[in-house]
Amino acid sequence: MFIDSARFSVTSGKGGQGCAAFRREKFVVKGGPDGGDGGKGGDVYFLVDNNTDTLSNYKGRKFFKADNGKQGLGGRMTGKSGEHLVLIVPPGTQVIDDETNEIIFDLVEVGEKVLFLEGGKGGLGNVHFKNSRNQRPTYFQPGLPGQMRKIRLELKLIADVGLVGYPNVGKSTLISVTSNASPEIANYEFTTLTPKLGVVEVGNYNSFVMADIPGIIDGASEGRGLGLEFLKHIERTKTLLFVIDVANYRTMIDQYRVLKEEVSKFSGELAKRNYAIVLSKIDGYIGENLEEDITNFIKDIGLEISKSNEFKFEGDYPYFIQDLIYSRFDNSKPYFVLPISSLTKLNLKPLGFALYNLLEQGKDEKISN
């Protein structure tokens, strides 16, 4: 089960109390106090593990606690420290204070381990309170209490390319035929109810991660449909791929404008990401002239038909791609507008190479900045 949020309280361990004891040994007269200190309470850590991709371990749990430290013993022996509590989370997890909404940690690096709450210090035994006036102290310190926080975990998947489109426009089919993902596919809207990740192989040595989220509808940024709940999963994607359905009852330009608007309303930062457009389901087109409709769409978004490209786009349909030989990449425009068919596999292999090249443009921008 895919769980992308959890809310619970977590407490570090209480320190063990000190010990009031006196040395009793043969041939030793008035051995004096020798009570040991209490053990330290267990700490609470977060560990980022790539072997998990959900927060399902925390479903239904309301409280987590590290072990308490043990009481000190005679003979100046310190009590055993409490076992640490390690909360394992997938990459992309945010730890948020549930009372103030402050982001405490943003955990994205695999293997990262951070200390969240420190356990209470153990109390001192009576050996520490001996002095010239009181050589037989019978008191000791209690251990200090652990720390408690109410937190919320939110998972935002980390991917290179995030698919954005209306419901039932072919996103699930696209990720299933281009990657190792196996999403549910059916001919009705909202087939995808949870985000899916897939690794797309490009050639023999390169690959990138693609994310599919539930379809976005008008008003998704305001909570309609499933869009608002899962739009957060493309916040971390490096690039966006808008999937426009040429066989949809909505026009291509209407789909594109609504999707761009919803993404922009949800996050101005997300709207600035590099992006590209695919025109899906060209095998299911039922209009009069597909070539003319594609040409008009490309012109409607202020672009011109391209004549050549380095990725060997297939078919006789119009397309657009930025010419990076004579000009720099312009992230205010889509890198390409490409007709595809997941059914006939038209342009799917060139699509992988083009998307990988788009990811490289993002790296170049960071270097230049």
Side-chain angles (χ1 to χ4, degrees):
M1 179 182 293
F2 183 84
I3 303 294
D4 63 354
S5 64
R7 179 180 279 110
F8 53 85
S9 298
V10 61
T11 303
S12 58
K14 178 181 180 297
Q17 67 181 26
C19 174
F22 295 89
R23 186 177 179 188
R24 293 290 184 267
E25 190 176 339
K26 191 175 182 180
F27 306 120
V28 176
V29 181
K30 298 180 180 180
D34 68 347
D37 302 338
K40 183 179 180 295
D43 300 331
V44 178
Y45 292 88
F46 279 101
L47 174 64
V48 183
D49 186 359
N50 202 31
N51 292 319
T52 180
D53 58 4
T54 175
L55 299 175
S56 57
N57 288 339
Y58 305 101
K59 179 178 173 58
R61 302 282 298 274
K62 298 298 182 184
F63 186 74
F64 291 86
K65 187 179 184 304
D67 288 344
N68 294 333
K70 303 299 183 181
Q71 180 180 358
L73 301 172
R76 302 191 181 188
M77 289 191 293
T78 300
K80 183 180 178 181
S81 297
E83 292 289 334
H84 299 316
L85 172 64
V86 180
L87 301 175
I88 297 176
V89 295
T93 301
Q94 288 186 332
V95 182
I96 303 171
D97 189 303
D98 201 30
E99 297 177 334
T100 65
N101 285 325
E102 173 195 0
I103 297 177
I104 304 170
F105 299 120
D106 195 1
L107 305 171
V108 297
E109 297 294 332
V110 175
E112 183 179 5
K113 186 176 183 180
V114 295
L115 174 64
F116 178 41
L117 299 176
E118 190 169 355
K121 185 179 179 181
L124 298 177
N126 67 339
V127 68
H128 295 279
F129 302 104
K130 176 183 177 181
N131 56 49
S132 59
R133 293 188 176 185
N134 184 6
Q135 298 190 14
R136 188 180 172 82
T138 58
Y139 48 85
F140 54 85
Q141 285 183 337
L144 295 179
Q147 300 173 317
M148 193 275 284
R149 295 283 290 272
K150 293 181 179 180
I151 60 172
R152 185 173 73 254
L153 301 184
E154 289 193 358
L155 173 61
K156 298 181 178 180
L157 297 179
I158 300 175
D160 297 305
V161 178
L163 301 182
V164 183
Y166 271 86
N168 200 32
V169 297
K171 301 190 304 301
S172 296
T173 306
L174 175 60
I175 197 173
S176 70
V177 297
T178 57
S179 75
N180 61 352
S182 301
E184 180 181 353
I185 300 173
N187 189 26
Y188 54 83
E189 295 190 347
F190 294 114
T191 309
T192 302
L193 296 177
T194 60
K196 298 292 189 299
L197 289 179
V199 178
V200 180
E201 300 289 342
V202 182
N204 295 324
Y205 304 104
N206 299 318
S207 65
F208 60 85
V209 178
M210 182 180 288
D212 175 24
I213 68 167
I216 297 174
I217 63 175
D218 306 44
S221 60
E222 299 170 358
R224 294 182 182 177
L226 300 175
L228 181 61
E229 184 177 354
F230 293 112
L231 268 171
K232 64 185 179 183
H233 287 298
I234 58 171
E235 277 192 287
R236 296 188 189 276
T237 56
K238 299 173 183 176
T239 61
L240 301 180
L241 181 62
F242 289 91
V243 183
I244 308 298
D245 182 5
V246 302
N248 199 284
Y249 65 90
R250 308 174 185 90
T251 65
M252 288 185 277
I253 191 64
D254 284 344
Q255 292 179 62
Y256 175 70
R257 285 173 177 168
V258 169
L259 293 174
K260 287 283 286 183
E261 182 179 0
E262 293 301 327
V263 169
S264 181
K265 286 181 179 178
F266 177 75
S267 169
E269 185 65 28
L270 185 61
K272 298 176 183 177
R273 300 284 164 80
N274 297 345
Y275 70 102
I277 302 171
V278 290
L279 306 177
S280 69
K281 295 187 178 180
I282 63 170
D283 53 274
Y285 176 77
I286 56 176
E288 296 181 357
N289 190 325
L290 177 57
E291 184 175 344
E292 182 180 339
D293 285 349
I294 294 175
T295 300
N296 290 336
F297 171 73
I298 293 176
K299 290 182 178 179
D300 286 342
I301 59 177
L303 306 174
E304 296 181 355
I305 303 300
S306 298
K307 301 299 183 183
S308 62
N309 68 90
E310 61 180 294
F311 304 108
K312 299 181 180 179
F313 294 156
E314 307 168 28
D316 299 324
Y317 301 107
Y319 64 86
F320 164 81
I321 186 167
Q322 292 191 36
D323 185 356
L324 302 184
I325 298 178
Y326 299 105
S327 60
R328 296 186 60 181
F329 174 71
D330 184 355
N331 65 358
S332 67
K333 301 176 182 178
Y335 179 46
F336 58 79
V337 180
L338 178 64
I340 66 167
S341 170
S342 299
L343 181 63
T344 65
K345 306 295 191 297
L346 177 68
N347 278 327
L348 294 190
K349 189 172 182 179
L351 172 63
F353 285 98
L355 284 173
Y356 187 81
N357 196 53
L358 175 56
L359 291 170
E360 293 297 308
Q361 305 310 315
K363 294 178 182 178
D364 294 341
E365 284 183 354
K366 289 183 179 179
I367 294 175
S368 63
N369 289 337

